[in-house]
Amino acid sequence: MGCCLSLGAAQAQPSYQQPSAAVREALAAPLPPRMLVSPDRRLVAALELQRYARLADLARPQLRLAGLRIDARSATPIALQGIAELRLKALQADAPERRIELPAGGLWHGFAWSPDGLRFLLERRTEQANELWVGDAASGRLRQIHGLRLNNTLAEGDQAWLSAREVVMLAVPRDRGAAPTRAATVPVVQENLGRASPERTYPDLLRSPLDEALFEYHTRSRPVRVDLVSGQWRELAAPAAMYSSLSGVGEGQALLLERVGRPFSYSLQWNDFPTHVELRAPDGKLIRELARMPLKQGVAIDGALPGPRVFYAAPTRDAAIYWVEALDGGNPATRAAYRDRVMRLDPPYTGDPFEVQRMPHRFSRLRFLDDGQHALLTEEDRSRAWLRTYLLPLRGTQSRLLFEHSVRERYRHPGTPLMRTLPGGGQAVQTLNGDPLLVGQGAGPRGERPFLDRVSVRDGSTQRLFQSADGVYELPLALLGERRAAAGQMPPLLLTRESPTEPPSLQLREAGHSTVLLRGQDLLAALKRVRRETVSFKRSDGVELSFTLALPPDYKDGERRPTLVWAYPQEFNEPALAAQQAGPSNRYPQISAISPLLLALDGYVVLNDATMPIVGDSRSMNDGFIEQVMMNARAILDKAEELGVTDPRRVAVGGHSYGAFMATNLLAHTRLFRCGIARSGAYNRTLTPFGYQSERRSLWEAKATYLRVSPFLFAHQIREPLLLIHGEADNNSGTYPMQSERLYQALAGLGGTVRYVLLPNEGHGYQARESAGHVQWEMQRWLRGCLGDPRADNGKP
């Protein structure tokens, strides 16, 4: 289904363009505030985060080293989401809000409560440093910790609380000196001596001795102890090093530190470099070296390092240290009754560690309960994409399976632990009379109805304490009032509530009644005029599909309008899991600034989040990728035509990342669509030879599949116009801008109709307001040129 594209004259001097007035209105809406409850359950902090990054911040001088993007002047990652406004509110209906006055200048970020809730931390990135500020929760006053320059290059946001007034953080060493500016010009040599070392394709790797010197210089930090009351700070006895992790042990008994070491690698990111793990006293003196993890080279895909890895410090008073060790040498191809085991080391940390639990599958996560007696231990069977979670007694008896489910499970997902901050500053699972609490999304065919469940440690039974009502989305945040719980009563529940027409508000639910504490602002009037509904149907082999049908505000029944299908493929082991569709949304419209849904404001019908399941054995499902996406696409178009909303002659297909890969494959292998939009995709799978998405086979193990699913190799079959958009600084594995550049060159060389837009300083997702507006303008212009005026000629085909 070819088309003639009419875009008008090319821009003489390209510049950022603006979309329609309706889309600009939607882009101007701020994000809803993020709610953070204080540890003492007296206050909530409402953080209004900046929706966009400033172009000037994205263009700040930066170093791209070992997978990092560093703002060298302030020792922070380039990508930081700033705080636009901060308000504090007591958890009482009649209590006033207090707006915290943030001094002008710089970028505010990194809010954190002190363990007692009496103070809070904020960080400010300036042109020369990343500063630490302390706020008083009662008065709202802020003051700077003078002379302290934090270093967040590797351990962003890490802190260890020694008490409610003292915290350990990582800072730029006082004696750091000047940065290296040159190194000897020598040949750069890499070698591999007969050992298989399959690596994914990563951007921003080290490339020279100067890169190595710069990486070490800018990531070196020193642990410092800060007194929040006096404002004084001092460096600890721990030496300056490339610290990558800092956490407190127990209630301030010790510090758990991880630091990167040499040798570095030119083919791996920094988190695969050698790592030393140490236990240190609160003054920084070494208690014990726990492990020296080697360079993660020669490790099989989905494999693990042999020896100790993944360290945890118990946040409760017992202050034990836990870690994981592989029992199969870290190789998933090795036959073994048990893959991993969990080890424990008790204070005073001078004895031998002992085994706590063996697992038949690979370790996934450990979460401690706030009772100090149990933990939730999760393992993953990667061959089945299956999770199992056990209740692990920290002393004595063996664990007991609590629940298991697919990684893709939606309808019967048991939920995730409700976390709380302990007196020592660590995070733990909140319990009710010793039983862990889980918060779930409650997904079902009728939409999401979040719930709060209590799981019995005695027999594993589940008690539902709360579930959102039909037609609204009420998400539990915290359970308040331990005294009432001890008396056997249901404590008050803090939650957020929203609906398709009601913006998010903060509410306190007690004895079946809700009190509004913070009322949300209705900021998206334009989007509320877009009619949306979830449509379910089946493809030819019976697998259930769905899409969100978005109709323009001025749509009239009976019109068949030009339509955009937007999708992202997902893999499923079982058809039943693919059938677990999202259902109608019970949430207030919150749409990404680059969402295709905004094109409905310009008159187009949008079939958003059209499901593109790839169903089959996880070891070989991509062998049928092309056939399955074609089957999905035909079913989607048939359903849209059946609904009578789509002109089948004027349909475009698009997607972002893996969705872009899907869209270009559909253009190469079908004639179903008039044109396409592909953003930040990968189109030549020979450039990702050791796997992509869920594909675990290498190019040499599944050459036919890699070649067949590479739309670059079928560029001669792409006859419809294609819009390519990519971030110039895309740092996602496998989606280098070169992927779009080469596809553009291929299509242009073959005489195709193609446009390639490269967004300066943008990564895999686009952060600046100027970029978001330009992307919307490009997409609308492309659709209009290919599909025509969405408000003209909308009768029956």
Side-chain angles (χ1 to χ4, degrees), residues 90-212:
L91 297 180
Q92 301 167 7
D94 56 353
E97 293 181 40
R98 179 183 294 111
R99 183 176 180 273
I100 306 301
E101 294 293 335
L102 301 178
L107 183 144
W108 293 91
H109 65 103
F111 177 93
W113 285 108
S114 66
D116 60 3
L118 299 181
R119 301 172 188 86
F120 57 89
L121 304 181
L122 278 172
E123 298 176 32
R124 181 170 72 163
R125 181 171 74 184
T126 69
E127 290 299 314
Q128 300 300 328
N130 190 42
E131 305 166 346
L132 178 64
W133 291 64
V134 181
D136 180 75
S139 66
R141 288 193 296 270
L142 288 175
R143 65 184 180 121
Q144 184 183 353
I145 304 296
H146 290 287
L148 181 61
R149 300 173 60 202
L150 298 178
N151 188 329
N152 283 357
T153 50
L154 293 182
E156 182 183 358
D158 281 10
Q159 53 199 227
W161 292 91
L162 302 179
S163 68
R165 63 176 284 173
E166 285 191 300
V167 63
V168 176
M169 304 182 78
L170 297 173
V172 174
R174 279 175 163 163
D175 58 353
R176 182 165 71 163
T181 57
R182 64 183 64 187
T185 302
V186 296
V188 175
V189 178
Q190 299 184 65
E191 65 180 5
N192 188 73
L193 304 177
R195 184 182 182 186
S197 187
E199 313 295 352
R200 294 291 177 92
T201 52
Y202 297 112
D204 304 336
L205 300 178
L206 299 179
R207 301 179 63 185
S208 69
L210 178 58
D211 279 357
E212 294 186 51

Side-chain angles (χ1 to χ4, degrees), residues 485-566:
Q489 302 174 1
M490 174 66 179
L493 177 63
L494 189 68
L495 54 83
T496 58
R497 175 190 165 100
E498 59 188 287
S499 76
T501 59
E502 174 189 351
S505 62
L506 182 70
Q507 301 192 4
L508 187 64
R509 186 177 180 86
E510 188 172 7
H513 300 284
S514 294
T515 302
V516 176
L517 301 179
L518 284 172
R519 198 174 299 278
Q521 292 181 275
D522 193 354
L523 300 168
L524 294 172
L527 284 176
K528 288 164 65 175
R529 295 194 298 268
V530 174
R531 288 186 279 166
R532 291 190 289 173
E533 68 172 292
T534 300
V535 178
S536 299
F537 51 100
K538 294 182 179 181
R539 71 186 192 186
S540 59
D541 63 353
V543 173
E544 292 192 37
L545 308 179
S546 71
F547 54 68
T548 298
L549 171 64
L551 297 175
D554 61 352
Y555 177 84
K556 297 179 177 59
D557 290 344
E559 289 184 331
R560 290 182 178 269
R561 292 214 181 180
T563 297
L564 172 64
V565 176
W566 197 267

Side-chain angles (χ1 to χ4, degrees), residues 361-563:
H361 300 289
R362 193 65 73 204
F363 170 86
S364 177
R365 181 171 290 183
L366 183 67
R367 292 188 176 104
F368 298 93
L369 272 58
D370 62 9
D371 66 354
Q373 305 298 316
H374 301 87
L376 300 180
L377 172 65
T378 302
E379 66 173 4
E380 181 179 357
D381 180 354
R382 295 180 181 174
S383 66
R384 294 181 58 205
W386 196 261
L387 296 174
R388 293 186 181 89
T389 297
Y390 302 86
L391 180 68
L392 177 66
L394 297 181
R395 293 189 181 276
T397 58
Q398 278 292 304
S399 64
R400 182 176 70 249
L401 180 66
L402 281 185
F403 41 78
E404 56 181 318
H405 56 87
S406 167
V407 171
R408 298 290 192 192
E409 181 63 54
R410 287 177 55 84
Y411 288 1
R412 291 175 293 277
H413 196 287
T416 56
L418 181 65
M419 307 299 290
R420 59 171 297 208
T421 301
L422 298 184
Q427 293 285 303
V429 180
Q430 185 172 355
T431 62
L432 182 62
N433 294 332
D435 295 332
L437 300 175
L438 302 179
V439 175
Q441 292 298 317
R446 297 169 59 185
E448 291 181 331
R449 296 177 57 209
F451 61 81
L452 177 67
D453 278 357
R454 172 183 180 178
V455 182
S456 170
V457 297
R458 182 176 57 83
D459 59 14
S461 61
T462 299
Q463 176 190 3
R464 181 137 300 176
L465 301 177
F466 168 82
Q467 184 154 24
S468 177
D470 276 327
V472 296
Y473 184 89
E474 298 170 308
L475 181 66
L477 297 181
L479 205 58
L480 314 180
E482 283 80 1
R483 291 181 181 176
R484 188 172 299 185
Q489 302 174 1
M490 174 66 179
L493 177 63
L494 189 68
L495 54 83
T496 58
R497 175 190 165 100
E498 59 188 287
S499 76
T501 59
E502 174 189 351
S505 62
L506 182 70
Q507 301 192 4
L508 187 64
R509 186 177 180 86
E510 188 172 7
H513 300 284
S514 294
T515 302
V516 176
L517 301 179
L518 284 172
R519 198 174 299 278
Q521 292 181 275
D522 193 354
L523 300 168
L524 294 172
L527 284 176
K528 288 164 65 175
R529 295 194 298 268
V530 174
R531 288 186 279 166
R532 291 190 289 173
E533 68 172 292
T534 300
V535 178
S536 299
F537 51 100
K538 294 182 179 181
R539 71 186 192 186
S540 59
D541 63 353
V543 173
E544 292 192 37
L545 308 179
S546 71
F547 54 68
T548 298
L549 171 64
L551 297 175
D554 61 352
Y555 177 84
K556 297 179 177 59
D557 290 344
E559 289 184 331
R560 290 182 178 269
R561 292 214 181 180
T563 297

Side-chain angles (χ1 to χ4, degrees), residues 84 192 194 198 216 231 246 251 253 277 282 439 450 453 462 473 498 581 590 594 716:
N192 188 73
E216 184 163 9
L246 163 68
E251 296 182 353
Q253 289 99 313
V277 185
V439 175
D453 278 357
T462 299
Y473 184 89
E498 59 188 287
Q581 310 305 337
Q590 296 177 25
I594 59 173
H716 61 291

